[in-house]
Amino acid sequence: MRFHDSIRARLVIGAALVLVAFVAGAGLAVQRAHADSVRTARFAQLQSTVYLLLAGAELDAGGVLVMPAAFPEPRLSLPGSGLYANIVNVARREEWQSASTLGLSPPFQRSVAVGQWRYDTVSGAGRAYLAVSYGVNWAGRTQAAPLVLSVLEDKAEFDREISVFARTLWTWLGGAALLLLLSQTVLLGWGLAPLRRVAHEIQRIESGEQAEVEGRYPTEIAALTDNLNTLIKQERVRQTRYKEALSFLAHSLKTPLAVLRTALNVPAQLPATVTQQVARMDAIVQHQLGRAAASGAARFAPYLPLAPILNRIRESLGKVYADKGLAFTVECPPELNWRIDEGDAFEMLGNVMDNAAKWARHRIAVSVWHEADRLNIRVEDDGPGFSDMQSILQLHVRADEQVPGHGVGLAVVNDLVASHEGELNLSRSDLGGARLDIVLPAA
């Protein structure tokens, strides 16, 4: 498995890269700050040595530089100690060097402006030094003399101190980074554990060991598992609907086929019988196809504007029943949207409006509105109305047991409404005919 195929590997590698970059940046910053601090401290010590030289320096009556035999800083008297001093009497072109320079030729600064401090890192004879120089106009007994005082310290000690600190710093930072990385890996494993459990449950669902995702998960995953369970339920309902439709279709076609076989023995009745039973089988097939094609409560369907659908159905029915001169009244807010499959919407609204147009004398009124998270659809006509409303609703279970005259339209609508977990009610309209009310809950 490649690393980019795993969320855990991506997070671990990403966290490691960020951690390494942070630790490297922080380590370099701390190391540099320490080096600057140590360098500043070293220069301050060398500056103190310069002041020590100034305190011991004297000029005799002839302007000759006179220095004491010993200094409070013992390294100035120890040959090769690593601390070296030099004073240049510019007027007399004479120099004084500390005893520590015996046998050495350190690269002292011999030209510094009066009143100027100079801090440098210099090299000479294959060695590096930290150097502090100071130019001063020294007031002697008879006259003033310009002096250049220079103090050098072997840089090896400074480099050693920096090296020890860097080694200690990177050892601790590396250990801390490793500990943090291990901690992040453990935390990521703990944080991603719910995803692994979801994947395991999905495998069990695929193998048929369980019906849905059953575990309780954090809020960030709960929405995913809820939607997944909804999809699983919808798919099972759809499969059940297909199986039932095939079973009902096979069962419902037995009677018309038996009638046709019987009619073969009566040639005189055969044409009328064939016409009647073919129409009956066509209605049965339409009914079962409508049931099987119903999408059901579409939680993931996009919101569909209903006003354009109602207007298209009204225009189509106006052309189909043009000879009746029907007056359609459609009341639907133009901004009303509902989460429903477009095919289901056309099938449901088209069938109820077509049934009303078929039986209406002059007027059809359609009202659609939204109230309390429910979609309300009402279709009324001024026709004869339903003769036995309770029987109509009960007989929609089977396509071969329909109320004569109503076709398969209301049966398909009843199944669609049931698939959306809604309600279908039939009653008497104020227009004098039938009133059909559909209430659909939000998906």
Side-chain angles (χ1 to χ4, degrees):
M1 181 179 66
R2 294 170 296 182
F3 77 90
H4 54 74
D5 293 332
S6 169
I7 294 178
R8 185 171 183 268
R10 288 185 178 189
L11 291 175
V12 169
I13 293 175
L17 293 176
V18 172
L19 184 61
V20 168
F22 173 78
V23 169
L28 290 174
V30 171
Q31 185 177 358
R32 182 170 181 176
H34 175 262
D36 291 342
S37 176
V38 172
R39 184 180 291 107
T40 300
R42 293 279 179 173
F43 282 142
Q45 291 177 359
L46 295 179
Q47 189 176 29
S48 299
T49 305
V50 170
Y51 287 131
L52 183 64
L53 294 176
L54 284 173
E58 291 290 344
L59 291 176
D60 61 11
V64 177
L65 181 64
V66 179
M67 298 296 293
F71 292 92
E73 173 56 71
R75 289 190 299 166
L76 291 176
S77 303
L78 182 64
S81 65
L83 181 65
Y84 313 105
N86 178 74
I87 301 177
V88 178
N89 189 347
V90 179
R92 296 183 59 87
R93 295 183 180 180
E94 64 174 342
E95 292 187 19
W96 171 89
Q97 292 185 353
S98 63
S100 59
T101 62
L102 184 64
L104 301 174
S105 299
F108 293 110
Q109 293 287 342
R110 292 177 169 83
S111 177
V112 179
V114 174
Q116 179 183 357
W117 286 94
R118 182 178 295 177
Y119 306 91
D120 295 306
T121 300
V122 297
S123 300
R127 307 188 75 171
Y129 303 88
L130 297 176
V132 173
S133 303
Y134 180 57
V136 61
N137 195 19
W138 190 259
R141 296 178 181 177
T142 58
Q143 62 182 356
L147 302 179
V148 176
L149 296 89
S150 182
V151 178
L152 273 62
E153 184 180 34
D154 196 332
K155 193 170 177 286
E157 182 63 27
F158 169 81
D159 292 337
R160 186 162 42 252
E161 182 177 353
I162 296 300
S163 177
V164 170
F165 177 83
R167 185 167 54 251
T168 305
L169 172 68
W170 290 111
T171 299
W172 282 99
L173 283 180
L178 182 60
L179 181 61
L180 285 174
L181 185 59
L182 291 175
S183 301
Q184 286 180 343
T185 303
V186 173
L187 288 175
L188 286 174
W190 176 67
L192 295 176
L195 291 178
R196 290 196 296 272
R197 286 195 287 121
V198 169
H200 180 66
E201 287 207 57
I202 292 176
Q203 291 177 353
R204 290 175 59 86
I205 292 172
E206 291 175 348
S207 62
E209 298 179 31
Q210 63 186 62
E212 60 182 18
V213 179
E214 300 173 350
R216 297 185 61 183
Y217 294 95
T219 305
E220 294 79 4
I221 304 178
L224 171 66
T225 56
D226 290 345
N227 289 339
L228 184 60
N229 282 336
T230 300
L231 285 174
I232 293 173
K233 291 177 182 178
Q234 289 182 354
E235 182 60 26
R236 285 181 178 156
V237 168
R238 188 176 293 110
Q239 291 178 357
T240 301
R241 192 182 300 120
Y242 289 154
K243 291 179 182 179
E244 290 179 351
L246 291 175
S247 176
F248 289 156
L249 186 62
H251 179 76
S252 301
L253 290 178
K254 288 181 181 179
T255 301
L257 290 174
V259 173
L260 288 175
R261 282 194 295 268
T262 302
L264 292 175
N265 300 324
V266 186
Q269 300 178 0
L270 185 59
T273 303
V274 168
T275 300
Q276 179 185 14
Q277 296 306 316
V278 166
R280 185 179 182 185
M281 286 190 290
D282 180 64
I284 292 172
V285 171
Q286 289 184 39
H287 179 209
Q288 298 303 336
L289 287 178
R291 292 186 64 201
S295 298
R299 183 171 183 176
F300 306 102
Y303 281 95
L304 182 70
L306 298 181
I309 294 178
L310 292 169
N311 292 330
R312 287 170 60 183
I313 296 174
R314 178 181 60 183
E315 293 173 0
S316 299
L317 293 178
K319 296 176 183 178
V320 172
Y321 298 99
D323 57 327
K324 299 180 69 172
L326 298 175
F328 281 90
T329 302
V330 176
E331 296 181 0
C332 177
E335 70 279 1
L336 178 58
N337 298 325
W338 195 253
R339 194 186 290 276
I340 187 173
D341 180 76
E342 186 176 12
D344 286 1
F346 272 106
E347 190 76 18
M348 187 184 303
L349 297 172
N351 274 311
V352 295
M353 292 176 67
D354 178 66
N355 187 78
K358 184 183 300 181
W359 294 97
R361 295 185 178 91
H362 304 289
R363 294 181 58 194
I364 297 174
V366 180
S367 301
V368 181
W369 70 95
H370 175 254
E371 182 180 359
D373 291 333
R374 292 177 177 272
L375 180 68
N376 296 269
I377 302 171
R378 176 172 295 173
V379 180
E380 301 177 89
D381 62 70
D382 60 351
F386 299 112
S387 57
D388 189 349
M389 291 174 287
Q390 189 63 30
S391 298
I392 290 174
L393 292 179
Q394 291 176 350
L395 293 176
H396 284 167
V397 178
R398 288 265 300 277
D400 58 345
E401 299 175 338
Q402 294 170 21
V403 175
H406 292 288
V408 298
L410 292 185
V412 171
V413 171
N414 190 49
D415 290 331
L416 281 171
V417 172
S419 69
H420 283 265
E421 301 179 0
E423 300 177 2
L424 172 63
N425 296 307
L426 307 177
S427 59
R428 198 72 178 174
S429 169
D430 294 337
L431 300 179
R435 187 176 79 180
L436 185 146
D437 286 290
I438 296 174
V439 180
L440 300 180

